[in-house]
Amino acid sequence: LLLLLSLSLIASCIYSPPVRCCTIKSNCSMCDYGVSTQLHGWLFRPADLNACRKRANQEARKYLAESKDGDKSTIPFYKFASGLSQRIKDGKEDGMDVDAPELTSQGHPYLEPEEEALLVTFYVAKIPSLLGPFAQNAYLRREVKVTATAAALFRRFFLSNSVMLHDPKHILVAAAFMATKVEDCMTQAHHLEEGTKLMNSPVTQAEILKAEYPFLGGINCDLLCFHPYKAVLALTEDLRTFLKTRKGRILATFATGEDRPIIGQDLSPMHNAARALVDDAVVSDIPFLYSPGQIGLAALMVANDQINKPEVPKIDLLGYIEHRFEEQEHETVKGQVIALGEMLKELKEGKYGCGNHKVDLQMLKGVHKKLKKCRNGEKKKKKRKAEPKEGEPESKKAKTA
């Protein structure tokens, strides 16, 4: 049964029929990746991903330029990223460009889409400290899939919306709160407030609850998320079974030249290393570009290549693909997995929006300053100088001031 489930997951993640979500008629299909909103609404080409961020930036500029005296009582939210690829494919997307000014009314430049993406990258990397196995608040410790869901929902929101309109700190906590509901391990808002205080970035319960409505609207209420963790486990279990067969035994070799059947613990190092790669992938843009099954298979391939211990077998995963997939799919799957594997290796360099490594903090500081200036109606409060007391010497008056 596990083998059948594993193969079903792999096949549905890598190749899925073009079925719309509205065709679902049974409850059991609601958890099928092949008919999920993630597949049909949140997979993009790199150019479409950039177009979403550009439009979100332009919509924010337009709103800030047209709003009166910094009035923020009715801040809009947008959801155009949801289903964009399908609309483009169907010829129903008119265009993504919006006329927007370059400077604020005070003459300050607005943030660029790349600068907004840097802020989103920084904040999404903070989610594991707030929610997940390593959360600072013990009441917020959950399975890693909850962290991944929060990261996915947070990134989805900022494909259609701008940090110039919506505080990423508030949206991050709202995403974490929603993730606990989606993954059926709900927490209470006051625990999240306490967690943000431990991170020295306090967000109140009122701010969390207020952010929920625009957050849900900005992701088009597409809450279900699939992650590569299950794919890594399913593939590892299938490998463990297949490598014990006559065809599979030739795919595993030991550096010591040892010739013996694969046992359970032999694949544990590869599995654990692949999960570590997935930890980086789920906070990056890669889940917007590839399916969970593709990411899981590529992570195992990279982990297999990077482990150089004599007691750990080397697995011919390209040979495994030839045995476990249809013949006409071999070259397609190999090409996808090899290309994706190279991308996963680059996550350690901070590429593809992975905030777990090498974030330019100096540049980030400059972006934060720029954000404060371009937000309409947010002016820096000047500290009032203390009035010098009579009879004090001039040097003391100056020091007091």
Side-chain angles (χ1 to χ4, degrees), residues 219-262:
I219 61 175
N220 198 28
C221 295
D222 293 338
L223 297 171
L224 186 61
C225 297
F226 292 82
H227 307 297
Y229 295 106
K230 284 187 178 180
V232 169
L233 178 61
L235 285 161
T236 304
E237 291 299 326
D238 186 51
L239 268 170
R240 184 176 285 117
T241 301
F242 181 69
L243 293 176
K244 294 177 181 179
T245 66
R246 182 176 57 82
K247 291 181 179 179
R249 287 191 65 172
I250 61 174
L251 300 179
T253 56
F254 290 87
T256 57
E258 186 179 2
D259 183 17
R260 63 170 176 80
I262 294 294

Side-chain angles (χ1 to χ4, degrees), residues 126-137 139-151 172-173 175-181 185 187 192 195 199:
K126 300 301 178 185
I127 292 177
S129 297
L130 177 65
L131 179 71
F134 307 107
Q136 293 188 29
N137 186 346
Y139 288 103
L140 297 176
R141 288 177 188 158
R142 301 289 190 275
E143 292 182 51
V144 71
K145 68 175 182 178
V146 188
T147 310
T149 295
L172 182 147
V173 187
F177 194 25
M178 189 57 61
T180 64
K181 300 176 186 179
C185 55
T187 187
L192 288 163
M199 296 170 64

Side-chain angles (χ1 to χ4, degrees), residues 145-203:
K145 68 175 182 178
V146 188
T147 310
T149 295
L153 297 178
F154 178 77
R155 279 196 170 275
R156 286 180 185 183
F157 180 84
F158 282 112
L159 283 183
S160 299
N161 296 277
S162 169
V163 299
M164 291 187 285
L165 296 184
H166 300 275
D167 191 327
K169 188 168 63 173
H170 298 172
I171 296 299
L172 182 147
V173 187
F177 194 25
M178 189 57 61
T180 64
K181 300 176 186 179
V182 172
E183 300 296 347
D184 198 21
C185 55
M186 188 174 171
T187 187
Q188 296 179 358
H190 71 88
H191 290 319
L192 288 163
E193 180 179 355
E194 292 166 2
T196 60
K197 288 178 181 177
L198 291 173
M199 296 170 64
N200 298 318
S201 298
V203 179

